[in-house]
Amino acid sequence: MKLYPIETGNFKLDGGAMFGTIPKSIWQKTNPADGQNKIELAMRALLIEDGERLILIDCGIGNKQSQKFFGYYDLWGDYDLETSLAQYGFTKEDVTDVFLTHLHFDHCGGAVQMDATHGGYELTFKNAKYWSNSAHWDWATKPNPREKASFLPENFLPIKESGNLNFIDLPSEGNYLHDSPLGFDIIFVDGHTDKQMLPVIRYKGKTIVYVADLVATVGHIPLVYVMGYDTRPLLTMQEKGDFLEKAVQEDYLFFFEHDPYRELATVSRTEKGILLDATFSFTEVFGL
């Protein structure tokens, strides 16, 4: 098995929304804001090469929305999905599986692209199976008013229409699924959105967790630092508390989707709770 960090692009969101009730005077120490109060964020995917399978975890915002839409999110930097894949010798056609942690636009927008030949939409990864779960799919396709702007039908309905949609089974009990069809374990969490899936990957003697929106950036590691975007913030705190305890016990290595400058981190127990221990680049830990 080999892992590759895939930089799909960067964007910005309002810092207050990203940190909820935490005062700006505190959160800006780790996530400085610009003149519009926006903070820099990444949309970092993870590619798993495992035998004949090439599994992509999340795929960024894509490029099919209008300039007006993208203008809300201040896209910045030179990264894009295809260039990042090519850096490691891969193309979109090589991807066999696309695992979507959840269906918010910044996580799944790259799953579907415009069909330049026939019009309308087509799958970006034409040879891939796409993976979600039935509970989250129902949540996304019948959205609540709070999340409706984040669930864009053009990002995921074409997946079902293509016949390439597959569902991960939910755990029979608890929130931890062992041995998913993709070869890694999955933690299910509901505070941010219903049945978000966090892959747990054993690699070169380490346990990597793709933390998605449970821990958006290094600045979100402290227990009460919860996003205003979360639909059930108190549940997020409970899930995050359980996750941080397990992270200490099992020496998890966090893989950040949204931190623009820190790819990996560990946590440790302190007198003030479980906090950041150290950050690393992917190359520092695993090489490439």
Side-chain angles (χ1 to χ4, degrees):
M1 178 191 289
K2 292 184 179 179
L3 302 186
Y4 309 91
I6 300 295
E7 302 288 351
T8 73
N10 301 315
F11 70 141
K12 293 183 179 182
L13 289 176
D14 183 84
M18 283 298 293
F19 283 93
T21 60
I22 303 303
K24 181 179 180 180
S25 59
I26 297 176
W27 60 251
Q28 69 177 353
K29 295 175 183 177
T30 55
N31 299 75
D34 65 15
Q36 295 183 307
N37 207 48
K38 293 181 179 181
I39 63 172
E40 296 180 344
L41 297 166
M43 292 175 283
R44 184 177 299 110
L46 181 62
L47 189 67
I48 304 172
E49 184 182 16
D50 190 9
E52 295 183 356
R53 299 184 88 165
L54 195 65
I55 304 164
L56 183 65
I57 299 174
D58 280 357
C59 50
I61 200 170
N63 56 16
K64 66 184 176 297
Q65 307 301 334
S66 68
Q67 288 303 116
K68 181 179 180 181
F69 175 86
F70 289 130
Y72 296 139
Y73 302 105
D74 295 350
L75 303 188
W76 59 278
D78 299 323
Y79 295 125
D80 67 73
L81 177 59
E82 288 190 62
T83 301
S84 193
L85 287 171
Q87 177 184 352
Y88 303 113
F90 301 114
T91 68
K92 295 181 295 184
E93 288 71 27
D94 296 324
V95 175
T96 63
D97 299 88
V98 178
F99 178 92
L100 301 170
T101 61
H102 60 296
L103 297 173
H104 287 168
F105 66 84
D106 54 317
H107 295 258
C108 75
V112 174
Q113 63 187 11
M114 298 297 298
D115 185 340
T117 303
H118 303 101
Y121 302 109
E122 63 178 359
L123 299 188
T124 303
F125 307 96
K126 298 178 177 61
N127 300 319
K129 294 180 178 180
Y130 286 71
W131 297 88
S132 181
N133 66 76
S134 59
H136 183 66
W137 184 266
D138 288 344
W139 185 268
T141 54
K142 303 167 188 173
N144 59 76
R146 182 179 175 88
E147 284 183 278
K148 189 173 183 179
S150 293
F151 289 129
L152 307 181
E154 62 269 26
N155 283 339
F156 47 83
L157 291 185
I159 302 172
K160 183 176 182 180
E161 293 164 3
S162 74
N164 288 33
L165 177 63
N166 297 265
F167 287 145
I168 301 284
D169 290 336
L170 299 174
S172 56
E173 58 180 324
N175 72 332
Y176 198 99
L177 180 68
H178 294 277
D179 299 323
S180 77
L182 294 168
F184 48 72
D185 297 349
I186 299 170
I187 299 170
F188 288 80
V189 287
D190 299 316
H192 178 62
T193 187
D194 204 57
K195 295 297 178 288
Q196 178 183 193
M197 300 188 290
L198 312 182
V200 181
I201 304 157
R202 274 84 188 186
Y203 182 58
K204 294 187 176 181
K206 303 288 187 181
T207 301
I208 301 170
V209 182
Y210 188 94
V211 290
D213 279 347
L214 179 65
V215 187
T217 71
V218 162
H220 289 85
I221 289 175
L223 179 62
V224 299
Y225 288 46
V226 172
M227 292 190 290
Y229 295 109
D230 289 6
T231 58
R232 308 174 182 116
L234 292 178
L235 180 56
T236 293
M237 286 180 60
Q238 178 183 328
E239 293 172 332
K240 190 171 159 188
D242 293 342
F243 176 77
L244 290 173
E245 286 290 338
K246 195 163 186 178
V248 170
Q249 294 168 14
E250 302 193 11
D251 198 22
Y252 282 171
L253 191 58
F254 293 16
F255 183 99
F256 291 106
E257 183 163 14
H258 285 316
D259 195 303
Y261 303 112
R262 292 149 295 204
E263 294 173 312
L264 302 170
T266 54
V267 295
S268 61
R269 194 182 309 278
T270 75
E271 292 180 355
K272 296 182 179 180
I274 297 173
L275 299 175
L276 174 68
D277 178 40
T279 62
F280 313 90
S281 71
F282 194 89
T283 304
E284 278 182 287
V285 180
F286 298 113
L288 280 178

